[in-house]
Amino acid sequence: MSLTPAIDERRVRRLNQIEDQHGTVIYWMSRDQRVRHNWALLFACRKANQLGQPLEVVFTLAPGFLGAPMRHYDFMFRGLREVERDLRELGVPMTLLYGEPGETLPEYAASRNAGAVIADFSPLKLVRGWKQEVAPRLSCAFYEVDAHNIVPCWLASPKQEYAARTIRPKLNALREEFLTDFPEPELRYQPDKLPPPVEWDEVKTLLKVDRSIKAVQDLEPGEAAAELRLRDFVDGRLSRYADERNDPNSGAVSGLSPYLHFGQLSAQHAAFEAARSKASEANREAFVEELFIRRELSENYCYYNDQYDAFDGIPEWAKKTLLGHADDRRDAIYTPEQFERAQTHDPLWNAAQTQLLETGVIHGYMRMYWAKKILEWSATPAAAFDIALMLNDRYALDGRDPNGYVGVAWSIGGLHDRPWVERPIYGTIRYMNANGCKRKFDVPRYIAEMSGSSQATLF
DNA sequence: ATCGGCTCGCGCAA
DNA sequence: TGCGCGAAGCCGAT
């Protein structure tokens, strides 16, 4: 068997200049909500063992998170219950802190006389803001570990990359070193006793979030479910991935993005398993391209461009061409509510929106078509950007993810893309239409299946 | 079915 | 400074 790899020190950086203290080690779990294949937890375990201290895990829950509705909290909490149970088996207590993390985390760390606090990594502004508030209020060492990316985001590139082709060689140069297996978490020092379990249902009642968007029914959350789905994909559908991933009827895609978004599945683990599967090289590499190159390009964009969630973040050539066509005549202009309720003239678009509303997931190829039509049928390109992002964040289980921001910016704003032939409204932004879908897949079948799923949930 | 052109700018070669 | 080529396409010609 292969040697279990150690933690690469380049994955870790300090967020303050205080040394390790004599006290319990805290892993502030935020984005990587899993027990296995988690470099932040593994680093925290090693730190606890080195300091001769027990480890505990803290999850901070802000009253609202970037407009996330109950659908997302439901998925997340069900995964966190499993995390809590699995941590308990390792002898690690899990604590939930409700409130503003910038206040609750330092207070808790002080109350526990913490020796070190370890956070996982996110490129999002809100989370980076929390860490900036936490850092000066801690009286112990504060570390950050990129447990989400295969190559740590700050190591992959020192700047915003222009396109996949510019980041690809940089990531591939580090692929051998970072696309490894994982060791199992091990702890030498256990706490005297574990606290009572978190009252997850009680906490849910405190949240100030939109409760009108129902939880998804057909997707089982959690680390174990993610692992099953990964195995199922790698041993089966991966062999069709290269040819059929753009056919929303074929079911050749992995369906892993909700698990990846909540960190219930490690992208590195998924890529490692896919890369050593029996599927052909073309299929293996097509999937690794998505999971590694394009995912980490999205992280790069959010990390280096603080306008990642706004029209203004898109490249200059794209802004120029879109604004030059802002006054072009539109065949239709819909309100955000009309889009939201899937009430456009286009049954294919409505089917994609219905899929998003009902299942919390939209097929990757349809997400491009969906976003580009929002551009075509909105009053201005900036309005289209906001509508697409709002709908994605409200309904998609992988909303508020770098992939979502970049998906919208790619579709509407030409990000990481090149210009194409000039047309009305789009300017030189890449165009897509229903004819292209017709060439690639059975459009009536997709429409029928989506309206079927809509009917089923009405009764 | 397959192919070239469309259009911009990065990054590398020179 | 020049040149090749690119996140998922479209369209018309063959």
Side-chain angles (χ1 to χ4, degrees), chain A residues 70 77 98 199-208 211:
Chain A
M70 193 50 89
F77 281 159
Y98 183 78
E199 300 281 354
W200 295 102
D201 289 330
E202 210 166 289
V203 175
K204 264 169 98 171
T205 64
L206 297 174
L207 291 166
K208 296 178 178 67
R211 289 160 200 275

Side-chain angles (χ1 to χ4, degrees), chain A residues 30-266:
Chain A
S30 174
R31 192 188 190 201
D32 291 285
Q33 298 164 17
R34 63 184 180 280
V35 175
R36 297 185 69 213
H37 317 127
N38 183 339
W39 291 117
L41 177 64
L42 288 164
F43 178 78
C45 288
R46 194 184 74 184
K47 182 64 72 184
N49 292 340
Q50 283 169 349
L51 296 179
Q53 294 287 335
L55 172 70
E56 55 180 288
V57 170
V58 168
F59 192 88
T60 57
L61 192 65
F65 185 81
L66 298 169
M70 193 50 89
R71 166 178 286 181
H72 297 70
Y73 284 99
D74 181 79
F75 194 87
M76 182 173 81
F77 281 159
R78 288 165 69 192
L80 287 174
R81 278 175 197 270
E82 188 179 327
V83 166
E84 185 189 18
R85 190 196 66 207
D86 293 349
L87 285 172
R88 189 170 283 269
E89 279 176 27
L90 283 172
V92 177
M94 181 167 180
T95 302
L96 185 75
L97 301 179
Y98 183 78
E100 292 302 325
E103 293 164 16
T104 58
L105 192 94
E107 281 167 18
Y108 184 77
S111 76
R112 303 290 298 140
N113 280 317
V117 173
I118 290 104
D120 46 38
F121 166 79
S122 168
L124 300 192
K125 291 177 277 189
L126 181 67
V127 180
R128 292 166 77 172
W130 289 342
K131 288 174 185 165
Q132 274 182 15
E133 290 169 26
V134 166
R137 299 182 191 178
L138 285 179
S139 47
C140 66
F142 189 20
Y143 300 90
E144 180 175 52
V145 182
D146 188 343
H148 215 78
N149 292 294
I150 297 170
V151 172
C153 190
W154 52 78
L155 181 70
S157 169
K159 62 169 190 175
Q160 183 187 326
E161 291 291 336
Y162 184 76
R165 72 185 154 87
T166 64
I167 202 171
R168 189 178 292 111
K170 297 178 185 182
L171 289 172
N172 279 336
L174 295 163
R175 172 171 165 167
E176 278 298 302
E177 288 176 84
F178 283 95
L179 185 47
T180 64
D181 205 352
F182 287 83
E184 293 293 328
E186 279 175 37
L187 287 159
R188 296 205 195 102
Y189 305 90
Q190 310 278 332
D192 299 332
K193 61 177 173 53
L194 291 171
V198 175
E199 300 281 354
W200 295 102
D201 289 330
E202 210 166 289
V203 175
K204 264 169 98 171
T205 64
L206 297 174
L207 291 166
K208 296 178 178 67
V209 303
D210 185 346
R211 289 160 200 275
S212 67
I213 300 167
K214 55 181 175 288
V216 296
Q217 303 298 326
D218 301 330
L219 198 63
E220 178 70 18
E223 207 173 335
E227 186 65 31
L228 280 175
R229 201 176 176 89
L230 172 66
R231 275 267 61 92
D232 189 56
F233 172 71
V234 165
D235 295 339
R237 292 165 288 148
L238 178 57
S239 64
R240 299 189 284 127
Y241 188 76
D243 286 342
E244 297 181 31
R245 72 189 144 160
N246 282 343
D247 178 349
N249 293 320
S250 95
V253 293
S254 73
L256 294 171
S257 53
Y259 302 106
L260 291 164
H261 169 67
F262 287 102
Q264 296 173 1
L265 175 68
S266 153

Side-chain angles (χ1 to χ4, degrees), chain A residues 284-302:
Chain A
R284 281 183 275 132
E285 286 310 306
F287 185 62
V288 171
E289 168 78 14
E290 303 285 334
L291 205 57
F292 181 33
I293 308 294
R294 297 191 192 178
R295 251 197 65 262
E296 298 192 8
L297 178 61
S298 299
E299 302 267 325
N300 169 276
Y301 181 63
C302 294

Side-chain angles (χ1 to χ4, degrees), chain A residues 335-389:
Chain A
T335 63
E337 292 72 25
Q338 287 173 305
F339 281 120
E340 185 164 28
R341 295 176 196 147
Q343 291 169 348
T344 75
H345 64 280
D346 175 13
L348 179 57
W349 194 92
N350 294 346
Q353 172 64 15
T354 301
Q355 181 181 27
L356 181 59
L357 285 175
E358 299 296 326
T359 67
V361 172
I362 185 169
H363 187 277
Y365 184 81
M366 289 311 298
R367 176 133 62 182
M368 298 187 284
Y369 176 82
W370 172 89
K372 283 180 183 289
K373 293 299 150 182
I374 295 175
L375 169 63
E376 202 172 319
W377 304 326
S378 293
T380 67
F385 188 100
D386 293 342
I387 291 168
L389 203 56

